[in-house]
Amino acid sequence: MTKALKHGELTPANATGLEGVIVANTVLSDIDGIKGELLLRGKPIEALAGHLSFEDAIAHLWQDLVSLPSGDLRRAFGTARVRAFAGVAAMQAAPADLTVFERMRVGLSALSLHETQTPDAVAISGAMPVLLAAAQRIKEGLSPIAPDSGLRTAEDLLRMLLGTPAPGHAVEAVDRYLVTILDHGLNASTFAARVIASTQADMRDAVIGAMGALKGPLHGGAPGPVLDMLDAVGQPDNADSWIEQELSSGARLMGFGHRVYRTRDPRADVLKAGLRKLPQDNPKLVLAEAVESAALAALAKAKPDRALDTNVEFYTAVLLDAVEIDRSLFTPLFAVGRTPGWCAHVLEQQAAGKLIRPASRYVGPKPDA
Ligand code: ACO
């Protein structure tokens, strides 16, 4: 008879973390973790980011899935931003000590409070930049700035955040970033969204749940700590010793390693290419390259059986910092970029129509005989 386990002895039956388990069919994105390739609806990420605006990349991802109310997606998102701004009062009324991410979830919950229909993919995805900018302004003790429905998302997001039009290179960098992270297979937050959608909860519930899954440092919470790491290293010359000490303390290096990639995450290079397009030389890029090469060498030595390479979060941190986005906004901005992907997966899951409900193995005590 199996001995009952105590809390501290619990080893999940799925200690593989569901690695390699297929739980959905999708037409949205395909990752080849060995070759280091990412396709969105058949197109390599390198052909999308830096070439298409966020709206056009979403239209590519959403084709046949989302019917647009009228006109193109840019116009539909402009309208969605204006509608979302009408509900910002609920965010202002929420407790003062909420983080930006938490206040965005309040805004999402209150979205279309006075409308009869629950918000759809356009309403939710279009609202996210308004929620981010408003939450940050409220945190700073400033009034939220109304959207300009004629602008494209990246442009209006920065304008609502900063209170003034952002320089073109910053808009391009943010646009490139948002496209780069639009969708990425069945990552933890997308899986969470699909689980929630499978219960027939509405799309907004699925997105709020996905945000919770995104927040952790093993997923979308990593880029802020990447910047903390660069700050702690300070200078390229310190990289080797700092990294070695960090690894020997048992810490994980943020921005490295991936569940699927056994080579470099292609999104890291797409973002690094964005850094090269910025008008000024960036001393942090020199530091980042030194830290990256020290980390790759140390990880290869420390974990020779596990190919650990640079992931998307490493250059996310450097790129967003270079265009003066505060590190506390990296994860909220990730949510803005990933929301259209979550929504598309929700629609696929709704069409599949099957409850996701796995099983656990009971290893606790049995009733006395
Ligand atoms: N630094 C040091 N060691 C690492 C790292 C890292 N960044 N990543 C993995 N390892 C080690 C683990 O300690 C483990 O070693 P062990 O077998 O001796 O215990 C081995 O490599 C395998 O790691 P797992 O956690 O089993 O691999 P998994 O696929 O579950 O983890 C993850 C992937 C969570 C991303 C991991 O690589 C990690 O923690 N990275 C750092 C955080 C990070 O950058 N997160 C962002 C990911 S990208 C994204 O979600 C958008």
Side-chain angles (χ1 to χ4, degrees):
M1 201 173 115
T2 339
K3 175 180 150 290
L5 297 179
K6 295 202 177 64
H7 174 71
E9 301 169 333
L10 283 176
T11 307
N14 68 342
T16 57
L18 300 179
E19 183 161 357
V21 176
I22 292 170
V23 301
N25 290 327
T26 183
V27 298
L28 297 168
S29 54
D30 186 28
I31 306 165
D32 186 327
I34 303 298
K35 290 190 190 150
E37 289 173 357
L38 167 62
L39 302 179
L40 260 53
R41 288 265 187 162
K43 286 201 192 305
I45 193 63
E46 296 82 357
L48 299 171
H51 301 279
L52 296 189
S53 67
F54 187 44
E55 289 86 348
D56 287 347
I58 297 169
H60 170 69
L61 185 74
W62 280 1
Q63 55 188 284
D64 315 325
L65 266 177
V66 178
S67 49
L68 303 184
S70 67
D72 63 8
L73 198 52
R74 177 168 161 171
R75 187 164 347 144
F77 274 180
T79 306
R81 287 201 300 280
V82 172
R83 289 168 97 109
F85 192 75
V88 155
M91 297 171 74
Q92 289 173 301
D97 53 358
L98 290 191
T99 64
V100 167
F101 206 64
E102 289 158 352
R103 200 176 297 276
M104 286 172 75
R105 291 197 299 235
V106 171
L108 211 41
S109 293
L111 194 62
S112 317
L113 208 52
H114 307 295
E115 294 180 20
T116 47
Q117 285 188 336
T118 54
D120 61 8
V122 173
I124 294 170
S125 303
M128 289 298 272
V130 174
L131 304 185
L132 185 152
Q136 175 63 9
R137 303 269 308 174
I138 293 167
K139 188 179 130 194
E140 291 171 337
L142 301 168
S143 298
I145 293 174
D148 177 341
S149 63
L151 299 180
R152 65 189 223 251
T153 298
E155 211 174 355
D156 207 22
L157 167 58
L158 289 173
R159 190 193 61 85
M160 289 186 288
L161 197 57
L162 307 171
T164 157
H169 69 264
V171 174
E172 294 311 322
V174 169
D175 223 357
R176 172 184 289 262
Y177 169 68
L178 295 173
V179 174
T180 303
I181 50 131
L182 186 50
D183 194 48
H184 200 243
L186 215 59
N187 57 84
S189 56
T190 301
F191 182 50
R194 287 191 83 128
V195 170
I196 294 167
S198 84
T199 72
Q200 295 185 358
D202 69 44
M203 186 178 273
R204 175 179 33 189
D205 297 320
V207 170
I208 291 172
M211 286 178 75
L214 182 75
K215 189 176 152 188
L218 300 192
H219 188 14
V226 166
L227 212 53
D228 297 340
M229 170 172 72
L230 296 182
D231 285 350
V233 174
Q235 306 188 29
D237 288 352
N238 297 341
D240 287 321
S241 58
W242 193 92
I243 292 285
E244 229 159 82
Q245 207 177 344
E246 191 73 356
L247 273 183
S248 59
S249 76
R252 288 183 178 219
L253 300 177
M254 293 293 124
F256 298 92
H258 200 272
R259 172 58 64 80
V260 182
Y261 293 113
R262 290 295 166 269
T263 183
R264 202 174 167 78
D265 182 335
R267 298 170 298 174
D269 285 329
V270 168
L271 297 178
K272 195 170 176 185
L275 273 153
R276 302 237 183 264
K277 287 192 181 296
L278 296 177
Q280 272 123 26
D281 282 349
N282 178 2
K284 220 166 240 164
L285 178 55
V286 177
L287 173 63
E289 285 175 331
V291 170
E292 185 184 19
S293 65
L296 295 181
L299 285 167
K301 212 159 84 188
K303 306 278 173 204
D305 302 329
R306 174 91 181 184
L308 295 170
D309 213 320
T310 316
N311 69 43
V312 63
E313 303 289 38
F314 190 74
Y315 284 106
T316 289
V318 190
L319 181 65
L320 296 183
D321 178 64
V323 295
E324 295 179 31
I325 306 265
D326 190 83
R327 71 190 73 191
S328 65
L329 295 179
F330 291 174
T331 305
L333 194 58
F334 195 155
V336 171
R338 184 53 62 82
T339 294
W342 289 331
C343 292
H345 279 271
V346 166
L347 291 168
E348 281 195 334
Q349 189 60 44
Q350 287 170 344
K354 182 80 180 169
L355 176 71
I356 299 176
R357 202 297 188 191
S360 52
R361 179 179 300 125
Y362 179 69
V363 292
K366 301 272 191 302
D368 296 334

